[in-house]
Amino acid sequence: MAAEREHEHVRVAVIGSGFGGLGAAVRLRRAGVTDFVVLERREAVGGTWHDNTYPGCACDVPSHLYSFSFAPNPEWPRTFSGQEHIRAYLERVADNFGLRQHIRFNSEVELMSWDPEELHWTITTGQGTQLTADFVVNATGPLSDAKIPDIPGLEGFGGKVFHTSQWDHDFDLRGKRVAVIGTGASAIQVVPAIQPYVERLTLFQRTPAWVMPRADREITALERRLHARVPATRHLRRQILWGIRELQVSAFAKHPRMLGLIEGLATGHMKRAVKDPEMRRKLTPDYRIGCKRILLSNDYYPALTRPNTDLVDSGLKEVRGNTLVAADGTEAEVDAIVFGTGFHVTDMPIAHRVKGADGMTLAESWSGGMEALRGCSASGFPNLMTVIGPNTGLGNSSMILIIEAQLNYMVDYVKKLEMLGGAAGKAALDARPEAVRAWNDHVQDRMRRSVWNTGCDSWYLDANGRNTTVWPGTTSEFRKVTREVRLEEYEVRRQVSKSGAAAPGARGGARGAAPVRVPRTGRSTAAAAFHAAEEG
């Protein structure tokens, strides 16, 4: 089969089969595009919901908002679903929409290069196969590659070491002395899940998190029947969940001082569970709530008060044999280390494997910080669109809403390429540097007044201290600014024949790809669209 697929050409290649990749596949089929493949590095669909199987793994977005609008699920068992339920949902999406025929499992992309003559991408996978694609959708996602800090002496540790996203289910933690490194979303789920059966649990906390109550409960059978038989009730529930979060955006993006009330609620939540004043001091953040991701848990604080749990108010500095040493000198003898230290979000590894029009990798292009037109298109990388790209993340709502907005953009992108290429030719769209710059400047300008830029050290910020992760607006705004591809923001290229004759509809007679000038509406096009969405 691999030999048969050597030199295969497809119209569209989608990388990844999480929410972004499966959503792209569904929308392509609905748009009449069936000549596409989905390249998945694992043996099954699900993306981050396939990889993360640690104890207690669950979503912090309400179930009825954490699903595709075109694939509602009236059977969610809980208001906040666990990993197993979300992965099962994605498996059903793959089945119900006939996507499996398009998916190539165990096919990690090792190299992807743009061919400026042929106007297509050449993709090499880990299986040694190669294919070409006119258009590529990068849906690998920011939560796909585990990030483990470089700790001196870690290689000499005699026990077990793994990241929460690479959980070793063959290693029994029962009766073991376990260290958990980090206090992010994964760590606060792992800690209460394993605390009851480990001998001793030591949590190394570099920075405390704001933790709010988790309004999780079982969804009754009556509710599920009602949602299945009367879809309007399911839709209403989703709209209410969405509307509440849209109203919260103003406090996060424009008026951080309004979040003081929420801090009071979070402080009260902690005080009800933690009676020791010294421990409360250690667990109280010194930054505005929302600057780092707000976490949801009802059992995290109680787990920290148990007799077999130690809270080290300092980050891990070094490892000496089986002894872990914190920055403040605290030592702990452990049998296993669990890293809950997040992912490569602002330095995505796949960027090192993507070579653009001038031979530069995407990582090199983004060395000063990630930026892309409307969170989708990077200049110098034609016909490449990133789902959940720079500044598309959310701090308070469902990423599925952002993904679906970007899929609207993707469908229009493909339609524009078809229109520009004509019946017998090819076309490519390369984001103009000035359009990318204008878009990014206005995003960063708006970011300055947001809670995410109030001074904390979060995974939203890159190595240069710039917030290249979060979208500083509502999901409604984002949907408006990604409704269509604006050709004036792109350099348009059409392929011409080797003889120099232009393909039907092409302009220019040079060999290879001929640039087509599209009238510009001014350098502020991106900014105008941004402000129009903000006002409308």
Side-chain angles (χ1 to χ4, degrees):
M1 183 64 70
E4 292 176 8
R5 288 175 177 166
E6 192 173 1
H7 308 306
E8 176 186 12
H9 179 80
V10 294
R11 188 176 176 191
V12 182
V14 179
I15 307 175
S17 68
F19 269 99
L22 294 181
V26 172
R27 291 299 306 277
L28 285 170
R29 285 182 62 90
R30 286 190 161 188
V33 179
T34 57
D35 182 19
F36 70 90
V37 296
V38 179
L39 302 174
E40 169 55 52
R41 66 178 176 176
R42 306 300 188 202
E43 76 289 348
V45 302
T48 192
W49 294 108
H50 166 274
D51 294 349
N52 288 269
T53 60
Y54 59 82
C57 183
C59 188
D60 57 6
V61 174
S63 301
H64 285 87
L65 196 59
Y66 201 75
S67 54
F68 291 119
S69 63
F70 52 77
N73 179 21
E75 296 299 325
W76 288 118
R78 303 194 65 82
T79 52
F80 288 86
S81 293
Q83 174 268 340
E84 68 277 16
H85 304 127
I86 298 172
R87 183 181 173 187
Y89 169 77
L90 290 172
E91 293 279 1
R92 289 197 299 274
V93 169
D95 290 331
N96 295 342
F97 288 90
L99 304 182
R100 294 194 184 275
Q101 61 183 308
H102 298 279
I103 304 174
R104 310 277 174 81
F105 293 114
N106 301 306
S107 297
E108 183 169 13
V109 172
E110 291 192 342
L111 180 64
M112 197 170 84
S113 303
W114 175 253
D115 188 327
E117 292 286 326
E118 298 296 332
L119 295 188
H120 65 215
W121 287 95
T122 299
I123 306 169
T124 303
T125 72
Q127 290 184 328
T129 59
Q130 192 175 86
L131 69 151
T132 55
D134 297 325
F135 180 65
V136 173
V137 180
N138 172 27
T140 55
L143 305 182
S144 56
D145 291 280
K147 188 173 185 178
I148 296 180
D150 185 15
I151 306 294
L154 182 61
E155 68 282 355
F157 179 67
K160 193 71 176 179
V161 179
F162 51 87
H163 191 275
T164 51
S165 67
Q166 301 162 343
W167 196 269
D168 188 343
H169 291 276
D170 293 329
F171 183 76
D172 190 358
L173 292 177
R174 295 179 185 278
K176 302 291 195 307
R177 298 166 300 176
V178 181
V180 175
I181 314 302
T183 51
S186 300
I188 73 156
Q189 293 178 346
V190 165
V191 166
I194 68 174
Q195 174 271 320
Y197 59 83
V198 301
E199 177 184 322
R200 186 140 216 96
L201 177 63
T202 304
L203 176 64
F204 284 79
Q205 171 190 271
R206 188 177 62 177
T207 308
W210 285 106
V211 181
M212 293 287 289
R214 183 182 178 88
D216 185 30
R217 65 171 178 83
E218 182 181 352
I219 297 178
T220 66
L222 176 61
E223 288 176 280
R224 296 198 298 271
R225 285 197 299 272
L226 182 63
H227 290 332
R229 297 175 184 177
V230 187
T233 62
R234 184 182 63 229
H235 179 70
L236 177 61
R237 186 173 192 158
R238 181 182 175 95
Q239 288 299 105
I240 291 174
L241 292 170
W242 167 78
I244 291 172
R245 282 153 182 78
E246 292 288 275
L247 293 174
Q248 294 171 349
V249 172
S250 179
F252 284 88
K254 298 179 181 179
H255 308 292
R257 291 183 180 179
M258 294 172 60
L259 294 167
L261 175 62
I262 308 301
E263 285 183 10
L265 296 175
T267 300
H269 177 56
M270 177 179 62
K271 287 182 177 180
R272 283 189 291 272
V274 181
K275 304 305 180 183
D276 178 19
E278 176 59 18
M279 179 173 280
R280 287 207 301 260
R281 182 194 65 77
K282 293 179 178 181
L283 292 171
T284 301
D286 61 0
Y287 55 87
R288 174 66 73 188
I289 192 169
C291 186
K292 293 168 70 78
R293 185 174 178 179
I294 300 175
L295 307 180
L296 305 179
S297 179
N298 297 328
D299 48 13
Y300 173 64
Y301 287 139
L304 296 181
T305 66
R306 299 295 183 257
N308 68 329
T309 303
D310 295 317
L311 173 64
V312 178
D313 186 27
S314 182
L316 178 60
K317 180 182 179 182
E318 64 176 309
V319 178
R320 300 173 187 163
N322 275 38
T323 301
L324 275 57
V325 183
D328 64 359
T330 302
E331 297 184 359
E333 191 87 6
V334 301
D335 305 306
I337 303 174
V338 177
F339 281 98
T341 45
F343 301 85
H344 288 276
V345 175
T346 60
D347 56 341
M348 294 184 287
I350 195 171
H352 293 275
R353 309 175 194 175
V354 180
K355 290 187 177 182
D358 58 1
M360 180 184 294
T361 67
L362 186 56
E364 291 170 334
S365 176
W366 282 349
S367 60
M370 300 191 303
E371 55 182 29
L373 178 61
R374 303 180 188 273
C376 300
S377 303
S379 183
F381 298 84
N383 288 10
L384 171 65
M385 180 184 155
T386 299
V387 176
I388 313 184
N391 291 112
T392 59
L394 297 175
N396 72 310
S397 191
S398 172
M399 281 305 302
I400 314 305
L401 303 173
I402 292 292
I403 289 172
E404 289 203 45
Q406 288 194 289
L407 297 182
N408 292 336
Y409 196 80
M410 175 200 72
V411 170
D412 193 54
Y413 201 126
V414 172
K415 289 180 179 178
K416 290 288 198 306
L417 290 178
E418 184 176 296
M419 175 191 72
L420 293 165
K426 286 185 180 180
L429 295 175
D430 188 3
R432 297 181 186 275
E434 61 269 27
V436 176
R437 192 178 311 115
W439 176 263
N440 189 67
D441 286 348
H442 283 275
V443 169
Q444 293 302 322
D445 180 63
R446 188 172 175 181
M447 196 75 72
R448 274 191 278 273
R449 48 182 169 162
S450 74
V451 70
W452 305 296
N453 280 34
T454 54
C456 69
D457 180 18
S458 74
W459 58 266
Y460 299 144
L461 308 181
D462 64 15
N464 302 308
R466 291 173 62 245
N467 191 325
T468 59
T469 306
V470 180
W471 166 246
T474 64
T475 60
S476 299
E477 291 174 273
F478 192 78
R479 188 166 60 246
K480 290 177 183 178
V481 298
T482 53
R483 183 176 295 152
E484 63 176 339
V485 172
R486 299 167 185 258
L487 291 180
E488 64 270 21
E489 294 179 343
Y490 288 85
E491 184 78 31
V492 182
R493 296 183 179 275
R494 294 192 180 102
Q495 189 180 46
V496 296
S497 67
K498 298 297 183 181
S499 65
R507 285 193 274 170
R511 295 187 63 159
V516 178
R517 296 294 178 185
V518 176
R520 306 187 197 186
T521 59
R523 187 173 182 270
S524 59
T525 301
F530 195 106
H531 290 306
E534 184 178 7
E535 294 169 3

